[in-house]
Amino acid sequence: MPEGDTVWQAAKRLHSALADKVLTRSDLRVPKYATADLTGRRVLDVTPRGKHLLTRIEGGLTLHSHLRMDGSWKVYEQNQRWTGGPTHQIRAILATTDRTAVGYRLPVLELIRTADEHQAVGHLGPDLLGPDWDPDRALANLLRDPARPLGEALLDQRNLAGIGNVYKSELCFLLGVTPWLPVGALPADRAAQLPALAKKLLEANRDRPVRATTGTGRRGQDLFVYGRAPRPCLRCHTSVRVADQGDGSRERPTYWCPHCQTGPTPSPSRRAPGRAHPGTSRRTTN
């Protein structure tokens, strides 16, 4: 699932391509909106909200999309070949005289009234990269269920918006606790650091093509634990572990160092097998 910084980058690309321009082509390839035609309307802006994208269009309309695991928006120059996937995976096309934005495999695509955006994103907590960021409220949201495992609480977008599976694992490593530690057991000093640390990580990466949390600048050492099992921890050289952890909707691979991080861990029977290293966390720039 894309993290908040990836969605922020997608919004920036879409805004640059579409904002303040009139649509010359509009094609929404989902049954409910197949007959909707936005041609001739001006795009006002494209705004990220957590992991959601809001493309606002004159006439009081918003095209709301969410990438989830496999979705993406690609921007192409005029006459440039589209390379985001086969034609049957295209869910949306928005074109101006010089650019075309194509949405592939979008699991969420809906055309709503701009005045009703709260129905799509009003449930989200403070956005780590948004103007509504409120660290005190984010921390209070996390602590509201003290028995909940920290990793699950961080992924819950109702608490704070923008953290995905990569930052969940990396934040827990930097805080020195396992993702299975109950939120209420997080030492007070580290709980106080959490909102600022999360914001620092996402802000540092929102303009980078390759996500990095370590500061080493070395290829293959961009992240402390995510994707590293069973390779050595960059700090202590203990083998990084991986196990599945739920987020309320599905199990997700979760990485931790058994030496650098304290707290509960899953039983061996629940641990995921070693996973292939996913490579550097490079994001596309088109």
Side-chain angles (χ1 to χ4, degrees), residues 13-81:
R13 292 193 302 271
L14 289 169
H15 184 87
S16 176
L18 302 176
D20 203 32
K21 297 179 181 179
V22 174
L23 293 174
T24 58
R25 181 183 179 187
S26 160
D27 187 358
L28 304 182
R29 299 182 181 180
V30 293
K32 186 175 181 179
Y33 306 105
T35 60
D37 187 4
L38 303 174
T39 303
R41 295 177 185 252
R42 187 177 300 275
V43 176
L44 304 179
D45 65 75
V46 182
T47 298
R49 181 71 175 86
K51 300 181 184 182
H52 299 250
L53 286 164
L54 303 172
T55 302
R56 299 183 178 119
I57 302 164
E58 70 176 351
L61 295 175
T62 294
L63 186 64
H64 166 232
S65 58
H66 194 297
L67 307 181
R68 289 192 180 163
M69 293 298 294
D70 301 315
S72 68
W73 278 97
K74 306 290 185 181
V75 175
Y76 301 102
E77 302 285 346
Q78 202 172 30
N79 300 322
Q80 183 180 359
R81 180 171 173 265

Side-chain angles (χ1 to χ4, degrees), residues 221-243:
Q221 296 186 5
D222 305 291
L223 304 175
F224 282 108
V225 290
Y226 186 84
R228 290 192 59 82
R231 293 182 297 160
C233 170
L234 294 179
R235 282 186 177 171
C236 72
H237 306 296
T238 301
S239 290
V240 172
R241 306 283 178 83
V242 59

Side-chain angles (χ1 to χ4, degrees), residues 7 11 38 48 61 70 85 92 129 136 147 150 155 158 161 170 176 190 205 213 220 247 286:
V7 176
L38 303 174
L61 295 175
D70 301 315
L129 294 178
D136 293 334
L150 178 60
L155 285 182
R158 296 170 298 181
E170 295 295 289
R190 280 178 265 186
N205 283 287
T213 60
D247 69 343
N286 60 342

Side-chain angles (χ1 to χ4, degrees), residues 60-112:
L61 295 175
T62 294
L63 186 64
H64 166 232
S65 58
H66 194 297
L67 307 181
R68 289 192 180 163
M69 293 298 294
D70 301 315
S72 68
W73 278 97
K74 306 290 185 181
V75 175
Y76 301 102
E77 302 285 346
Q78 202 172 30
N79 300 322
Q80 183 180 359
R81 180 171 173 265
W82 297 1
T83 58
T87 302
H88 72 267
Q89 293 183 349
I90 295 175
R91 297 292 176 265
I93 301 172
L94 300 176
T96 67
T97 55
D98 61 345
R99 302 279 187 86
T100 301
V102 184
Y104 291 90
R105 302 170 298 277
L106 299 174
V108 175
L109 185 71
E110 59 178 348
L111 190 62
I112 61 177

